Amino acid sequence: MERIRFSLNETEAPTTWYNLAADLPGPALAPPLNPKTMQPLTRAEMAHTMPEQLIDQELSTEREIEIPEEVRRFYALWRPSPLFRARRLERELGTPARIYYKYEGGAPTGSHKPNTAIPQAYYNKLAGKTGLVTETGAGQWGSATALAASFFGMTAKVYMVKVSFEQKPYRRALMETYGATCVPSPSTETEVGRTILKDDPDCPGSLGIATSEALEAFAQDPDLGYVLGSAANHVLLHQTVIGQEALRQMDLAEDYPDIVVGCSGGGSNLAGLTFPFLGEQLRGGRPVRIIAVEPAACPTLTRGTIAYDYADTGRLGPLFRMHTLGHEFVPPAVHAGGLRAHGIGPLISRCVEDGLMEATAVTQTACFEAGVRFARSEGIVPAPESTHAIRVAIDEALRCKEEGESKAILFGLSGHGHFDLAAYDRYFAGSLADDSPDAGLLARAASGIPQVDPA
């Protein structure tokens, strides 16, 4: 039989996280800025919101950082995750390309997010916190936070972007099953939420708004630890277990990817899969073409600007030098809620800026078409976020067909879409919109980006 599944056993799981900052050429990353002084954050200032161990990881330039044994014991519930060769999809496309996908949907919450939720909860528990608070878009990060809090005997409160809260009621139910409280954002619970609702009672919400609400709630309760699901260096670091496993699994397949594709929002799934391959290249290994795929409705990398900007709408948190559409940008209500981020992780931004990674934007209906095609050939219904990677992987495979090339394509299937069937329902009914912000809207949002020149 043709081999389609490439698996590692528990003893072969990574014992360290990989840190791309160790191999990134050129100057060090620009530091985050204090929102009050506009000067680089000090370690003491970072300690107000992060445990010491996470600060170490955020600032580290060491290549390998040990994964605590207790974290690895939790990882063993679903890691190592499988790598598949999509032979049925290859035949359906009639392509000479070899298509592989790394599947993260076997985690308890159905996506890659517990890879960082578990260690963040672990370190906050060590720091004496009794509860966690966070924001979430589509609900995958919120579900992972709820799970991690439950594992460590902690409470959890999740501010979920309102449009996703309404589109995905079973994500809320999953969080509540794990014991978390889920609040639609913007809400009346915080000053930030009340201000936004006063100006726009029908505001659909955004990750920037939900982040501000979570930070405000965190500031009011010293027993809470604030955790975040994407963008930050330590979050991207934790996700690299994905790519490290994939490197070993490609060896089992006796193959190596020419192209690696990941969906792009804040950057955690994309970095998790691609950074270990990029690190191999930077250390003299085989070159690989890396493609970040984002929604046309929220084109942070393809139509944004590189600048210091706030990660949250309420301007409560630090400023980061990154690709941004402006912290006031509210994306259209597309179903890929996990990709509706106005800014992206500084490490991802730097990779695109330096030409180590390319970016493209795709429309919602084209992504769902690819997701359905994938489901009918491979059997897995993908999350809306993951369909972005599938769309471009299929396009690249069809390009191989046109050009008569046999390339290896690896993409990240970051989660299943079992909680997103209402979106598929809308796709089949022909009622999904292909929203794309016009130049005027982007210009207005960009005008709110602060003019910063740190000393």
Side-chain angles (χ1 to χ4, degrees), residues 343-429:
I344 195 166
L347 272 171
I348 295 287
S349 193
R350 173 70 174 273
C351 289
V352 174
E353 188 177 10
D354 288 357
L356 300 172
M357 183 183 294
E358 61 188 83
T360 188
V362 290
T363 60
Q364 182 167 227
T365 55
C367 290
F368 273 90
E369 186 275 333
V372 171
R373 195 171 194 175
F374 177 83
R376 291 178 180 176
S377 59
E378 294 297 313
I380 300 171
V381 177
E385 292 80 6
S386 304
T387 63
H388 290 66
I390 295 171
R391 173 71 276 163
V392 170
I394 287 176
D395 290 345
E396 291 297 324
L398 292 175
R399 183 174 291 111
C400 286
K401 180 180 179 179
E402 293 172 2
E403 298 175 359
E405 291 186 291
S406 178
K407 291 184 177 180
I409 302 168
L410 169 63
F411 70 87
L413 183 51
S414 56
H416 65 65
H418 299 170
F419 294 107
D420 303 287
L421 292 177
Y424 281 89
D425 220 17
R426 291 192 62 197
Y427 169 73
F428 294 127

Side-chain angles (χ1 to χ4, degrees), residues 2 8 71 264 270 319 326 358 390 407:
E2 295 177 318
L8 304 172
V71 171
S264 174
L270 176 65
L319 293 85
E358 61 188 83
I390 295 171
K407 291 184 177 180

Side-chain angles (χ1 to χ4, degrees), residues 164-220:
S164 292
F165 182 93
E166 295 169 347
Q167 290 173 343
K168 306 171 192 295
Y170 299 119
R171 278 285 169 195
R172 171 191 53 75
L174 182 60
M175 293 179 226
E176 292 174 348
T177 300
Y178 289 131
T181 300
C182 185
V183 180
S185 172
S187 75
T188 58
E189 291 194 359
T190 66
E191 185 61 33
V192 169
R194 289 189 292 270
T195 299
I196 289 170
L197 289 173
K198 181 179 179 181
D199 294 335
D200 182 8
D202 298 320
C203 178
S206 70
L207 277 171
I209 295 170
T211 300
S212 292
E213 293 208 87
L215 287 170
E216 184 176 330
F218 163 76
Q220 295 171 354

